[in-house]
């Protein structure tokens, strides 16, 4: 059973292409928000269903490859949490600095 989405950290809304990296295929999607704790993802219409344990990393344009787990899944939306906030922080800081915006 997946938890319901409950924002636990400030988020920055955006629309960035991303790729869900699965063992046998990659799946294009869109990042809809980002925080220091994780990402909100929108799957494209008709996206294939996969086992949540298959997702190990997500590649986000402009940010890089991040290790994630699926926290919740509702319809075409996924809430991903970083496996290690400490590991994700340098890439996120660099992206936010370049963008000139931070999650609020």
């Amino acid at each position: 059973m997946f938890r319901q989405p409950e924002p636990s950290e400030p988020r920055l809304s955006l629309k960035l292409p991303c790729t869900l990296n699965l063992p046998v295929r990659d799946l294009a999607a869109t990042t809809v928000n980002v925080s220091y704790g994780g990402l909100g993802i929108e799957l494209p219409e008709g996206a294939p269903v996969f086992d949540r344990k298959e997702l190990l990393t997500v590649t986000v344009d402009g940010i890089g490859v991040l290790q994630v787990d699926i926290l919740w899944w509702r319809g075409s939306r996924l809430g991903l949490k970083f496996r290690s906030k400490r590991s994700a922080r340098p890439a996120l800081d660099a992206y936010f600095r370049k963008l000139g915006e931070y999650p609020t």
Side-chain angles (χ1 to χ4, degrees):
M1 184 62 116
F2 290 104
R3 293 176 27 186
Q4 296 298 315
E6 296 174 19
S8 58
E9 297 189 30
R11 300 179 186 292
L12 177 64
S13 293
L14 43 73
K15 289 218 183 269
L16 282 178
C18 67
T19 303
L20 305 182
N21 305 305
L22 305 168
V24 294
R25 66 183 177 274
D26 290 338
L27 181 60
T30 303
T31 306
V32 295
N33 65 53
V34 62
S35 74
Y36 281 111
L39 304 164
I41 303 292
E42 177 83 31
L43 297 173
E45 191 173 317
V49 175
F50 58 90
D51 186 314
R52 69 179 186 158
K53 293 176 187 165
E54 291 180 5
L55 180 61
L56 301 176
T57 62
V58 62
T59 304
V60 181
D61 285 11
I63 298 176
V65 179
L66 302 161
Q67 294 183 334
V68 295
D69 289 312
I70 297 175
L71 187 60
W72 55 263
W73 190 335
R74 284 178 65 188
S76 63
R77 290 252 174 154
L78 301 176
L80 308 180
K81 68 174 183 173
F82 300 126
R83 283 210 190 105
S84 168
K85 290 182 184 181
R86 179 179 287 162
S87 295
R89 186 90 189 209
L92 294 172
D93 280 340
Y95 176 75
F96 296 144
R97 216 175 7 262
K98 182 175 75 173
L99 192 63
E101 285 188 71
Y102 292 82
T104 55

